[in-house]
Amino acid sequence: QHPCSVVPNRGSIMARLFLAVAMVSLLCLPGLAQPAPAPADSTEQDDDSTQPAEKEATTAPKPSKEELAKQALSRATEAHKEALKHADDAIKKLKAFVHLLDDHADAKTAASGLEESAQKGVEKSAEDAESTFQSRLRTLAKSGSGGGSKEVVAAAKKANRAAKDVEHSAGDDKAKAMRKQRNQIQKATKEEAHTLAREAREGAHAAVKAAHTLERAQRHAGVKEDIYERALDRNERIGEGMEDQAQDLQDKAEDKIERYFGTVEGRAEPLEDDVREESAKHFAGERRAVRGEKKQAGEEAQKVRAAAKKAAADAKAEAKAAKAKEASA
């Protein structure tokens, strides 16, 4: 999968991005071979058994300036070869990354994948918000049983706030999650392009530096001037050409990233609008449910108050009649 691709039902967007990045990173360079350990100085045991054992140090002849220059030339030649290989491998990794940018999912599929991933991200909070709303709605339905109008009003306010939370979770939060994921993927893809381009430029610069070291070693080793000057000129052109190539590839990668994610954004924004519109419709339905339960709870409370008032009046009348009866007796 490409780092820019977003395919539904295949895990998180970022997981697929970093998987693709890891695939590119597998083109790692082999480490430089470590020199073999120098052999230990040879020792020689004295054959005379009557004498104590003594180690006889072997003294190597001191190398001449000419030999030292040849050794330095050999090292410089190998270092330049390794620097060129390192730079070439870095360019290949950057090329592979740019090629992967052409292998992304189409923008419509990517936008749908963002919506699906965002839905999974807000699913738990949306479920919790809906559960809270239903609980508040049930509380509202029972609030009139005590006969208090204040309790009904307070319960209705809580239910409306819960309905608004549902709208945010299913609408704004989901749309924001879509934008956030899109921006995160675009940023991570750009950063990967910058990193690979920087490594390629640094590798090319190191190759040019190694070419100058090689030129000095050739000069000290007695190589003809026209030979090492031509070699330096050629090696400089190669290294500087690699630096230019790395910059061109970075520019190409950035242009592809901008164009692709611009297209994805154009496809995703209508989906975000649809998410908000659908959420607003759901919110309107929940508000109607709150109004209906509030009305019923209010009517129930009114009935409870009326019944309580009638019961009180009946009790008062009965008490009055009983008192009158006692007075006439």
Side-chain angles (χ1 to χ4, degrees):
Q1 291 294 326
H2 178 260
C4 296
S5 67
V6 186
V7 181
N9 300 320
R10 293 191 182 179
S12 71
I13 301 300
M14 294 307 295
R16 292 197 297 277
L17 169 68
F18 292 120
L19 176 61
V21 170
M23 290 173 61
V24 177
S25 300
L26 286 176
L27 301 172
C28 56
L29 297 173
L32 297 180
Q34 297 296 323
D41 292 339
S42 61
T43 58
E44 194 172 332
Q45 183 77 24
D46 191 349
D47 291 336
D48 189 354
S49 60
T50 60
Q51 297 294 329
E54 295 181 358
K55 292 184 179 179
E56 183 178 314
T58 58
T59 304
K62 185 177 181 180
S64 64
K65 288 185 178 181
E66 183 180 42
E67 291 174 335
L68 290 173
K70 288 182 179 180
Q71 294 173 9
L73 176 58
S74 177
R75 291 193 298 271
T77 301
E78 186 63 24
H80 179 249
K81 185 188 299 183
E82 289 294 335
L84 280 177
K85 184 179 184 304
H86 181 89
D88 186 59
D89 287 343
I91 290 289
K92 287 178 179 177
K93 285 198 289 185
L94 181 56
K95 281 183 177 179
F97 182 82
V98 174
H99 178 70
L100 282 175
L101 294 175
D102 293 324
D103 191 27
H104 52 61
D106 65 273
K108 184 177 180 180
T109 302
S112 298
L114 285 171
E115 182 183 16
E116 180 180 339
S117 180
Q119 174 63 35
K120 291 179 180 178
V122 302
E123 192 169 18
K124 181 62 169 61
S125 61
E127 288 177 354
D128 291 344
E130 182 66 28
S131 177
T132 299
F133 169 74
Q134 294 298 333
S135 175
R136 297 283 172 82
L137 198 62
R138 289 192 295 271
T139 301
L140 173 59
K142 299 175 183 178
S143 63
S145 61
S149 58
K150 290 183 179 180
E151 288 78 0
V152 174
V153 172
K157 285 183 178 179
K158 289 182 179 180
N160 280 324
R161 283 198 297 269
K164 192 66 177 176
D165 290 340
V166 172
E167 181 188 25
H168 278 300
S169 297
D172 289 342
D173 290 352
K174 182 177 176 180
K176 288 177 182 177
M178 290 177 65
R179 289 197 305 273
K180 183 178 180 181
Q181 288 187 7
R182 184 178 70 245
N183 292 336
Q184 285 177 336
I185 297 171
Q186 183 175 3
K187 180 181 178 182
T189 308
K190 280 185 176 181
E191 288 176 351
E192 182 66 12
H194 291 169
T195 297
L196 292 173
R198 186 185 69 250
E199 290 175 354
R201 285 194 301 271
E202 290 175 350
H205 181 73
V208 172
K209 186 176 180 180
H212 282 273
T213 301
L214 175 60
E215 183 268 341
R216 289 193 296 271
Q218 289 174 323
R219 179 156 33 90
H220 292 154
V223 177
K224 290 184 179 180
E225 182 177 355
D226 61 331
I227 293 177
Y228 65 68
E229 284 185 349
R230 283 200 303 271
L232 176 61
D233 183 62
R234 181 181 66 254
N235 291 332
E236 282 183 330
R237 287 199 305 272
I238 291 173
E240 291 168 357
M242 285 181 170
E243 287 190 74
D244 293 339
Q245 186 180 14
Q247 186 60 54
D248 291 342
L249 287 170
Q250 179 181 347
D251 294 341
K252 185 180 294 186
E254 290 179 348
D255 181 62
K256 288 184 177 183
I257 292 169
E258 288 295 333
R259 283 189 286 108
Y260 175 65
F261 280 98
T263 305
V264 172
E265 182 178 1
R267 291 285 189 174
E269 285 181 345
L271 294 179
E272 294 171 11
D273 293 339
D274 291 344
V275 165
R276 291 192 179 91
E277 183 178 351
E278 187 65 27
S279 176
K281 289 180 180 178
H282 185 70
F283 174 65
E286 291 187 335
R287 288 293 299 272
R288 285 194 298 270
V290 171
R291 287 195 297 270
E293 291 294 347
K294 181 182 179 182
K295 181 180 179 181
Q296 289 183 15
E299 290 174 351
E300 183 181 356
Q302 188 174 11
K303 290 178 181 179
V304 169
R305 288 195 301 273
K309 186 176 181 181
K310 182 177 182 305
D314 290 346
K316 185 176 181 181
E318 287 178 3
K320 185 178 181 181
K323 187 176 181 181
K325 186 176 181 181
E326 288 177 1
S328 63

Short mmCIF file of all heavy atoms in Angstrom, two decimals, residues 34-98:
data_model
loop_
_atom_site.label_atom_id
_atom_site.label_comp_id
_atom_site.label_asym_id
_atom_site.label_seq_id
_atom_site.Cartn_x
_atom_site.Cartn_y
_atom_site.Cartn_z
N GLN A 34 34.05 -3.73 8.71
CA GLN A 34 35.02 -3.38 9.73
C GLN A 34 36.36 -4.03 9.41
O GLN A 34 36.41 -5.19 8.98
CB GLN A 34 34.54 -3.85 11.11
CG GLN A 34 33.25 -3.17 11.54
CD GLN A 34 33.45 -1.68 11.72
OE1 GLN A 34 34.49 -1.24 12.19
NE2 GLN A 34 32.47 -0.91 11.30
N PRO A 35 37.44 -3.32 9.59
CA PRO A 35 38.75 -3.91 9.32
C PRO A 35 39.01 -5.07 10.26
O PRO A 35 38.61 -5.05 11.41
CB PRO A 35 39.72 -2.74 9.56
CG PRO A 35 38.99 -1.83 10.47
CD PRO A 35 37.54 -1.96 10.12
N ALA A 36 39.69 -6.08 9.73
CA ALA A 36 40.04 -7.23 10.57
C ALA A 36 41.03 -6.81 11.62
O ALA A 36 41.86 -5.92 11.42
CB ALA A 36 40.64 -8.34 9.70
N PRO A 37 40.96 -7.41 12.80
CA PRO A 37 41.90 -7.04 13.86
C PRO A 37 43.34 -7.34 13.45
O PRO A 37 43.61 -8.33 12.77
CB PRO A 37 41.46 -7.91 15.05
CG PRO A 37 40.69 -9.04 14.42
CD PRO A 37 40.05 -8.47 13.20
N ALA A 38 44.21 -6.44 13.84
CA ALA A 38 45.62 -6.60 13.49
C ALA A 38 46.18 -7.81 14.21
O ALA A 38 45.88 -8.04 15.38
CB ALA A 38 46.42 -5.35 13.87
N PRO A 39 46.99 -8.60 13.52
CA PRO A 39 47.57 -9.78 14.18
C PRO A 39 48.51 -9.38 15.29
O PRO A 39 49.18 -8.35 15.23
CB PRO A 39 48.30 -10.49 13.04
CG PRO A 39 48.58 -9.42 12.03
CD PRO A 39 47.45 -8.46 12.13
N ALA A 40 48.53 -10.19 16.33
CA ALA A 40 49.41 -9.90 17.47
C ALA A 40 50.86 -10.07 17.07
O ALA A 40 51.19 -10.82 16.13
CB ALA A 40 49.06 -10.83 18.63
N ASP A 41 51.74 -9.28 17.72
CA ASP A 41 53.17 -9.41 17.44
C ASP A 41 53.63 -10.82 17.72
O ASP A 41 53.26 -11.43 18.73
CB ASP A 41 53.98 -8.44 18.32
CG ASP A 41 53.71 -7.01 17.91
OD1 ASP A 41 53.26 -6.81 16.77
OD2 ASP A 41 53.93 -6.10 18.75
N SER A 42 54.42 -11.38 16.82
CA SER A 42 54.93 -12.74 17.01
C SER A 42 55.97 -12.75 18.11
O SER A 42 56.72 -11.79 18.30
CB SER A 42 55.51 -13.26 15.71
OG SER A 42 56.59 -12.44 15.30
N THR A 43 56.00 -13.83 18.84
CA THR A 43 56.99 -13.97 19.92
C THR A 43 57.78 -15.23 19.69
O THR A 43 57.34 -16.15 18.98
CB THR A 43 56.29 -14.05 21.28
OG1 THR A 43 55.39 -15.15 21.26
CG2 THR A 43 55.51 -12.77 21.57
N GLU A 44 58.91 -15.27 20.22
CA GLU A 44 59.82 -16.42 20.00
C GLU A 44 60.39 -16.85 21.33
O GLU A 44 60.89 -16.04 22.12
CB GLU A 44 60.93 -15.98 19.04
CG GLU A 44 61.72 -17.16 18.47
CD GLU A 44 62.67 -16.71 17.38
OE1 GLU A 44 62.37 -15.70 16.74
OE2 GLU A 44 63.70 -17.33 17.22
N GLN A 45 60.32 -18.18 21.61
CA GLN A 45 60.82 -18.72 22.86
C GLN A 45 62.30 -19.09 22.69
O GLN A 45 62.71 -19.67 21.70
CB GLN A 45 60.01 -19.99 23.23
CG GLN A 45 60.39 -20.61 24.55
CD GLN A 45 59.79 -19.80 25.69
OE1 GLN A 45 58.81 -19.14 25.49
NE2 GLN A 45 60.42 -19.86 26.85
N ASP A 46 63.11 -18.72 23.70
CA ASP A 46 64.55 -19.06 23.68
C ASP A 46 64.70 -20.57 23.86
O ASP A 46 64.11 -21.15 24.76
CB ASP A 46 65.27 -18.31 24.80
CG ASP A 46 66.79 -18.41 24.65
OD1 ASP A 46 67.27 -19.22 23.81
OD2 ASP A 46 67.44 -17.70 25.36
N ASP A 47 65.44 -21.21 22.92
CA ASP A 47 65.63 -22.66 22.98
C ASP A 47 66.56 -23.10 24.10
O ASP A 47 66.58 -24.27 24.49
CB ASP A 47 66.20 -23.18 21.65
CG ASP A 47 65.17 -23.06 20.55
OD1 ASP A 47 63.96 -23.04 20.87
OD2 ASP A 47 65.58 -22.97 19.38
N ASP A 48 67.37 -22.20 24.63
CA ASP A 48 68.33 -22.56 25.68
C ASP A 48 67.59 -22.77 26.99
O ASP A 48 67.09 -21.84 27.59
CB ASP A 48 69.38 -21.45 25.82
CG ASP A 48 70.53 -21.89 26.74
OD1 ASP A 48 70.41 -22.99 27.31
OD2 ASP A 48 71.49 -21.12 26.85
N SER A 49 67.50 -24.06 27.47
CA SER A 49 66.74 -24.36 28.67
C SER A 49 67.38 -23.81 29.92
O SER A 49 66.74 -23.68 30.94
CB SER A 49 66.56 -25.88 28.81
OG SER A 49 67.84 -26.50 28.91
N THR A 50 68.67 -23.48 29.83
CA THR A 50 69.35 -22.97 31.02
C THR A 50 69.14 -21.49 31.20
O THR A 50 69.44 -20.94 32.25
CB THR A 50 70.86 -23.25 30.92
OG1 THR A 50 71.37 -22.60 29.76
CG2 THR A 50 71.11 -24.74 30.80
N GLN A 51 68.61 -20.81 30.15
CA GLN A 51 68.37 -19.38 30.22
C GLN A 51 66.87 -19.13 30.45
O GLN A 51 66.04 -19.88 29.99
CB GLN A 51 68.81 -18.69 28.91
CG GLN A 51 70.30 -18.82 28.63
CD GLN A 51 71.13 -18.07 29.66
OE1 GLN A 51 70.70 -17.06 30.19
NE2 GLN A 51 72.33 -18.59 29.95
N PRO A 52 66.48 -18.06 31.16
CA PRO A 52 65.06 -17.72 31.35
C PRO A 52 64.43 -17.37 30.01
O PRO A 52 65.08 -16.83 29.12
CB PRO A 52 65.10 -16.51 32.29
CG PRO A 52 66.46 -15.92 32.10
CD PRO A 52 67.39 -17.08 31.81
N ALA A 53 63.08 -17.70 29.92
CA ALA A 53 62.37 -17.42 28.66
C ALA A 53 62.27 -15.93 28.45
O ALA A 53 61.93 -15.18 29.36
CB ALA A 53 60.97 -18.03 28.71
N GLU A 54 62.56 -15.48 27.23
CA GLU A 54 62.51 -14.07 26.89
C GLU A 54 61.78 -13.93 25.56
O GLU A 54 61.87 -14.76 24.67
CB GLU A 54 63.93 -13.49 26.76
CG GLU A 54 64.71 -13.49 28.07
CD GLU A 54 66.10 -12.88 27.87
OE1 GLU A 54 66.39 -12.52 26.71
OE2 GLU A 54 66.83 -12.78 28.85
N LYS A 55 61.01 -12.84 25.47
CA LYS A 55 60.30 -12.54 24.23
C LYS A 55 61.14 -11.58 23.40
O LYS A 55 61.60 -10.56 23.90
CB LYS A 55 58.94 -11.90 24.54
CG LYS A 55 57.96 -12.86 25.20
CD LYS A 55 56.64 -12.21 25.38
CE LYS A 55 55.65 -13.17 26.02
NZ LYS A 55 54.34 -12.56 26.23
N GLU A 56 61.29 -11.98 22.18
CA GLU A 56 62.11 -11.16 21.29
C GLU A 56 61.20 -10.32 20.40
O GLU A 56 60.41 -10.86 19.62
CB GLU A 56 62.99 -12.08 20.44
CG GLU A 56 63.95 -11.30 19.54
CD GLU A 56 64.84 -12.25 18.76
OE1 GLU A 56 65.38 -13.18 19.38
OE2 GLU A 56 64.96 -12.07 17.55
N ALA A 57 61.22 -9.05 20.60
CA ALA A 57 60.35 -8.16 19.82
C ALA A 57 60.83 -8.06 18.39
O ALA A 57 62.03 -7.94 18.14
CB ALA A 57 60.32 -6.77 20.46
N THR A 58 59.89 -8.16 17.48
CA THR A 58 60.23 -8.01 16.06
C THR A 58 59.98 -6.57 15.66
O THR A 58 58.90 -6.02 15.89
CB THR A 58 59.37 -8.94 15.20
OG1 THR A 58 58.01 -8.64 15.44
CG2 THR A 58 59.64 -10.41 15.55
N THR A 59 60.89 -5.95 15.08
CA THR A 59 60.79 -4.55 14.68
C THR A 59 60.58 -4.48 13.18
O THR A 59 61.46 -4.88 12.42
CB THR A 59 62.04 -3.77 15.08
OG1 THR A 59 62.25 -3.92 16.49
CG2 THR A 59 61.90 -2.30 14.72
N ALA A 60 59.36 -3.99 12.78
CA ALA A 60 59.08 -3.85 11.34
C ALA A 60 59.78 -2.61 10.81
O ALA A 60 59.90 -1.60 11.51
CB ALA A 60 57.58 -3.73 11.12
N PRO A 61 60.21 -2.68 9.59
CA PRO A 61 60.88 -1.51 9.02
C PRO A 61 59.88 -0.36 8.84
O PRO A 61 58.72 -0.57 8.52
CB PRO A 61 61.37 -2.01 7.67
CG PRO A 61 60.49 -3.17 7.34
CD PRO A 61 60.19 -3.81 8.66
N LYS A 62 60.29 0.83 9.09
CA LYS A 62 59.44 2.01 8.97
C LYS A 62 59.10 2.24 7.50
O LYS A 62 60.01 2.29 6.67
CB LYS A 62 60.15 3.22 9.56
CG LYS A 62 59.29 4.46 9.58
CD LYS A 62 60.03 5.60 10.25
CE LYS A 62 59.14 6.87 10.31
NZ LYS A 62 59.86 7.99 10.95
N PRO A 63 57.77 2.36 7.17
CA PRO A 63 57.41 2.56 5.76
C PRO A 63 57.91 3.90 5.25
O PRO A 63 57.99 4.89 5.98
CB PRO A 63 55.88 2.50 5.77
CG PRO A 63 55.49 2.87 7.16
CD PRO A 63 56.59 2.34 8.05
N SER A 64 58.22 3.91 3.99
CA SER A 64 58.71 5.14 3.36
C SER A 64 57.54 6.08 3.09
O SER A 64 56.36 5.70 3.17
CB SER A 64 59.40 4.80 2.05
OG SER A 64 58.47 4.23 1.14
N LYS A 65 57.84 7.31 2.76
CA LYS A 65 56.80 8.28 2.43
C LYS A 65 55.99 7.82 1.23
O LYS A 65 54.77 8.03 1.15
CB LYS A 65 57.43 9.65 2.14
CG LYS A 65 57.97 10.36 3.37
CD LYS A 65 58.48 11.75 3.01
CE LYS A 65 58.98 12.50 4.25
NZ LYS A 65 59.46 13.87 3.91
N GLU A 66 56.68 7.18 0.30
CA GLU A 66 56.00 6.70 -0.89
C GLU A 66 54.99 5.62 -0.54
O GLU A 66 53.84 5.63 -1.03
CB GLU A 66 57.02 6.14 -1.88
CG GLU A 66 56.40 5.68 -3.20
CD GLU A 66 57.44 5.13 -4.16
OE1 GLU A 66 58.32 4.39 -3.68
OE2 GLU A 66 57.36 5.44 -5.34
N GLU A 67 55.37 4.71 0.35
CA GLU A 67 54.44 3.65 0.77
C GLU A 67 53.26 4.23 1.57
O GLU A 67 52.11 3.79 1.40
CB GLU A 67 55.20 2.62 1.61
CG GLU A 67 56.20 1.79 0.80
CD GLU A 67 57.02 0.89 1.69
OE1 GLU A 67 57.17 1.23 2.89
OE2 GLU A 67 57.52 -0.14 1.20
N LEU A 68 53.56 5.18 2.44
CA LEU A 68 52.48 5.82 3.20
C LEU A 68 51.50 6.52 2.28
O LEU A 68 50.28 6.49 2.49
CB LEU A 68 53.08 6.81 4.21
CG LEU A 68 53.85 6.21 5.39
CD1 LEU A 68 54.52 7.32 6.20
CD2 LEU A 68 52.92 5.39 6.27
N ALA A 69 52.03 7.17 1.25
CA ALA A 69 51.16 7.87 0.29
C ALA A 69 50.28 6.89 -0.46
O ALA A 69 49.10 7.14 -0.71
CB ALA A 69 52.01 8.68 -0.69
N LYS A 70 50.86 5.72 -0.83
CA LYS A 70 50.07 4.71 -1.53
C LYS A 70 48.97 4.14 -0.63
O LYS A 70 47.84 3.90 -1.07
CB LYS A 70 50.99 3.58 -2.00
CG LYS A 70 51.89 3.96 -3.17
CD LYS A 70 52.73 2.79 -3.61
CE LYS A 70 53.61 3.17 -4.81
NZ LYS A 70 54.46 2.03 -5.25
N GLN A 71 49.31 3.94 0.65
CA GLN A 71 48.30 3.45 1.60
C GLN A 71 47.16 4.47 1.76
O GLN A 71 45.98 4.10 1.79
CB GLN A 71 48.94 3.16 2.95
CG GLN A 71 49.93 2.00 2.93
CD GLN A 71 50.66 1.85 4.25
OE1 GLN A 71 50.33 2.50 5.24
NE2 GLN A 71 51.68 1.00 4.27
N ALA A 72 47.53 5.74 1.85
CA ALA A 72 46.52 6.79 1.99
C ALA A 72 45.65 6.85 0.74
O ALA A 72 44.42 7.05 0.81
CB ALA A 72 47.20 8.13 2.22
N LEU A 73 46.26 6.66 -0.45
CA LEU A 73 45.51 6.67 -1.70
C LEU A 73 44.53 5.51 -1.74
O LEU A 73 43.38 5.67 -2.18
CB LEU A 73 46.48 6.59 -2.88
CG LEU A 73 45.84 6.49 -4.27
CD1 LEU A 73 44.92 7.67 -4.52
CD2 LEU A 73 46.92 6.40 -5.35
N SER A 74 44.97 4.34 -1.27
CA SER A 74 44.09 3.18 -1.25
C SER A 74 42.88 3.42 -0.35
O SER A 74 41.74 3.11 -0.72
CB SER A 74 44.86 1.95 -0.77
OG SER A 74 44.01 0.82 -0.69
N ARG A 75 43.14 4.00 0.81
CA ARG A 75 42.03 4.28 1.74
C ARG A 75 41.08 5.33 1.15
O ARG A 75 39.85 5.21 1.26
CB ARG A 75 42.58 4.75 3.08
CG ARG A 75 43.29 3.68 3.88
CD ARG A 75 43.52 4.13 5.32
NE ARG A 75 44.36 5.31 5.39
CZ ARG A 75 45.70 5.29 5.47
NH1 ARG A 75 46.34 4.12 5.49
NH2 ARG A 75 46.39 6.40 5.55
N ALA A 76 41.63 6.36 0.55
CA ALA A 76 40.80 7.42 -0.02
C ALA A 76 39.97 6.89 -1.19
O ALA A 76 38.79 7.28 -1.36
CB ALA A 76 41.68 8.58 -0.49
N THR A 77 40.56 6.01 -1.99
CA THR A 77 39.82 5.42 -3.11
C THR A 77 38.64 4.60 -2.62
O THR A 77 37.52 4.71 -3.14
CB THR A 77 40.75 4.52 -3.94
OG1 THR A 77 41.85 5.30 -4.44
CG2 THR A 77 40.00 3.90 -5.12
N GLU A 78 38.87 3.79 -1.59
CA GLU A 78 37.80 2.96 -1.02
C GLU A 78 36.72 3.83 -0.38
O GLU A 78 35.52 3.55 -0.52
CB GLU A 78 38.38 2.00 0.00
CG GLU A 78 37.38 0.98 0.54
CD GLU A 78 36.85 0.05 -0.52
OE1 GLU A 78 37.55 -0.15 -1.54
OE2 GLU A 78 35.73 -0.46 -0.36
N ALA A 79 37.15 4.89 0.35
CA ALA A 79 36.18 5.77 1.01
C ALA A 79 35.31 6.48 -0.02
O ALA A 79 34.09 6.65 0.18
CB ALA A 79 36.91 6.78 1.88
N HIS A 80 35.92 6.90 -1.12
CA HIS A 80 35.14 7.58 -2.16
C HIS A 80 34.15 6.62 -2.80
O HIS A 80 32.98 6.98 -3.07
CB HIS A 80 36.08 8.16 -3.22
CG HIS A 80 35.36 8.86 -4.33
ND1 HIS A 80 35.31 8.38 -5.62
CD2 HIS A 80 34.62 10.01 -4.33
CE1 HIS A 80 34.59 9.20 -6.37
NE2 HIS A 80 34.16 10.19 -5.62
N LYS A 81 34.58 5.39 -3.03
CA LYS A 81 33.70 4.38 -3.60
C LYS A 81 32.49 4.14 -2.68
O LYS A 81 31.35 4.06 -3.13
CB LYS A 81 34.47 3.08 -3.81
CG LYS A 81 33.66 2.00 -4.52
CD LYS A 81 34.40 0.67 -4.51
CE LYS A 81 35.73 0.80 -5.24
NZ LYS A 81 36.44 -0.52 -5.31
N GLU A 82 32.75 4.02 -1.37
CA GLU A 82 31.67 3.80 -0.41
C GLU A 82 30.73 5.00 -0.34
O GLU A 82 29.51 4.85 -0.21
CB GLU A 82 32.25 3.50 0.98
CG GLU A 82 32.92 2.15 1.11
CD GLU A 82 31.94 1.00 0.97
OE1 GLU A 82 30.75 1.21 1.25
OE2 GLU A 82 32.37 -0.10 0.58
N ALA A 83 31.30 6.22 -0.41
CA ALA A 83 30.49 7.43 -0.36
C ALA A 83 29.56 7.51 -1.58
O ALA A 83 28.38 7.87 -1.46
CB ALA A 83 31.38 8.67 -0.30
N LEU A 84 30.08 7.14 -2.74
CA LEU A 84 29.25 7.13 -3.94
C LEU A 84 28.12 6.11 -3.83
O LEU A 84 26.98 6.38 -4.22
CB LEU A 84 30.11 6.82 -5.17
CG LEU A 84 30.93 7.97 -5.77
CD1 LEU A 84 31.78 7.45 -6.92
CD2 LEU A 84 30.03 9.10 -6.23
N LYS A 85 28.44 4.94 -3.30
CA LYS A 85 27.43 3.90 -3.13
C LYS A 85 26.35 4.35 -2.15
O LYS A 85 25.15 4.13 -2.37
CB LYS A 85 28.08 2.60 -2.63
CG LYS A 85 27.10 1.44 -2.54
CD LYS A 85 27.80 0.17 -2.07
CE LYS A 85 26.82 -1.00 -2.08
NZ LYS A 85 25.62 -0.76 -1.27
N HIS A 86 26.79 4.97 -1.05
CA HIS A 86 25.84 5.46 -0.06
C HIS A 86 24.90 6.50 -0.69
O HIS A 86 23.68 6.46 -0.49
CB HIS A 86 26.60 6.09 1.12
CG HIS A 86 25.71 6.60 2.20
ND1 HIS A 86 25.30 5.83 3.25
CD2 HIS A 86 25.15 7.82 2.38
CE1 HIS A 86 24.51 6.54 4.04
NE2 HIS A 86 24.42 7.76 3.53
N ALA A 87 25.48 7.43 -1.45
CA ALA A 87 24.66 8.47 -2.09
C ALA A 87 23.72 7.86 -3.13
O ALA A 87 22.55 8.25 -3.22
CB ALA A 87 25.57 9.51 -2.75
N ASP A 88 24.22 6.91 -3.90
CA ASP A 88 23.39 6.27 -4.93
C ASP A 88 22.23 5.51 -4.29
O ASP A 88 21.10 5.56 -4.78
CB ASP A 88 24.25 5.32 -5.76
CG ASP A 88 23.48 4.72 -6.93
OD1 ASP A 88 22.99 5.49 -7.77
OD2 ASP A 88 23.36 3.48 -6.97
N ASP A 89 22.48 4.81 -3.18
CA ASP A 89 21.40 4.08 -2.49
C ASP A 89 20.35 5.05 -1.95
O ASP A 89 19.15 4.75 -1.98
CB ASP A 89 21.98 3.25 -1.34
CG ASP A 89 22.75 2.02 -1.84
OD1 ASP A 89 22.56 1.66 -3.01
OD2 ASP A 89 23.52 1.44 -1.07
N ALA A 90 20.79 6.19 -1.43
CA ALA A 90 19.85 7.18 -0.91
C ALA A 90 18.97 7.74 -2.04
O ALA A 90 17.76 7.95 -1.86
CB ALA A 90 20.61 8.32 -0.22
N ILE A 91 19.57 7.97 -3.21
CA ILE A 91 18.81 8.44 -4.37
C ILE A 91 17.78 7.38 -4.79
O ILE A 91 16.62 7.70 -5.11
CB ILE A 91 19.75 8.75 -5.55
CG1 ILE A 91 20.59 10.00 -5.26
CG2 ILE A 91 18.96 8.94 -6.83
CD1 ILE A 91 19.82 11.29 -5.28
N LYS A 92 18.19 6.12 -4.75
CA LYS A 92 17.27 5.03 -5.13
C LYS A 92 16.08 4.97 -4.17
O LYS A 92 14.93 4.73 -4.60
CB LYS A 92 18.01 3.70 -5.14
CG LYS A 92 18.96 3.54 -6.32
CD LYS A 92 19.70 2.20 -6.24
CE LYS A 92 20.63 2.02 -7.43
NZ LYS A 92 21.40 0.75 -7.33
N LYS A 93 16.33 5.15 -2.88
CA LYS A 93 15.23 5.14 -1.92
C LYS A 93 14.26 6.29 -2.18
O LYS A 93 13.04 6.12 -2.10
CB LYS A 93 15.77 5.23 -0.49
CG LYS A 93 16.40 3.95 0.02
CD LYS A 93 16.53 3.94 1.53
CE LYS A 93 17.60 4.90 2.00
NZ LYS A 93 17.79 4.79 3.48
N LEU A 94 14.81 7.46 -2.50
CA LEU A 94 13.96 8.62 -2.78
C LEU A 94 13.15 8.39 -4.06
O LEU A 94 11.96 8.71 -4.13
CB LEU A 94 14.82 9.88 -2.91
CG LEU A 94 14.08 11.19 -3.18
CD1 LEU A 94 13.03 11.46 -2.12
CD2 LEU A 94 15.08 12.35 -3.24
N LYS A 95 13.79 7.80 -5.07
CA LYS A 95 13.07 7.49 -6.31
C LYS A 95 11.92 6.51 -6.06
O LYS A 95 10.82 6.66 -6.60
CB LYS A 95 14.04 6.89 -7.33
CG LYS A 95 14.91 7.89 -8.07
CD LYS A 95 15.77 7.17 -9.09
CE LYS A 95 16.61 8.16 -9.90
NZ LYS A 95 17.47 7.44 -10.89
N ALA A 96 12.21 5.49 -5.23
CA ALA A 96 11.18 4.50 -4.92
C ALA A 96 10.00 5.15 -4.21
O ALA A 96 8.83 4.82 -4.47
CB ALA A 96 11.78 3.39 -4.04
N PHE A 97 10.29 6.10 -3.32
CA PHE A 97 9.22 6.79 -2.60
C PHE A 97 8.37 7.61 -3.56
O PHE A 97 7.14 7.59 -3.49
CB PHE A 97 9.83 7.70 -1.53
CG PHE A 97 8.82 8.43 -0.71
CD1 PHE A 97 8.20 7.82 0.36
CD2 PHE A 97 8.48 9.75 -1.01
CE1 PHE A 97 7.25 8.49 1.12
CE2 PHE A 97 7.54 10.43 -0.25
CZ PHE A 97 6.93 9.79 0.81
N VAL A 98 9.02 8.34 -4.47
CA VAL A 98 8.29 9.14 -5.46
C VAL A 98 7.43 8.23 -6.34
O VAL A 98 6.28 8.56 -6.67
CB VAL A 98 9.27 9.96 -6.32
CG1 VAL A 98 8.52 10.68 -7.45
CG2 VAL A 98 10.00 10.99 -5.45
#
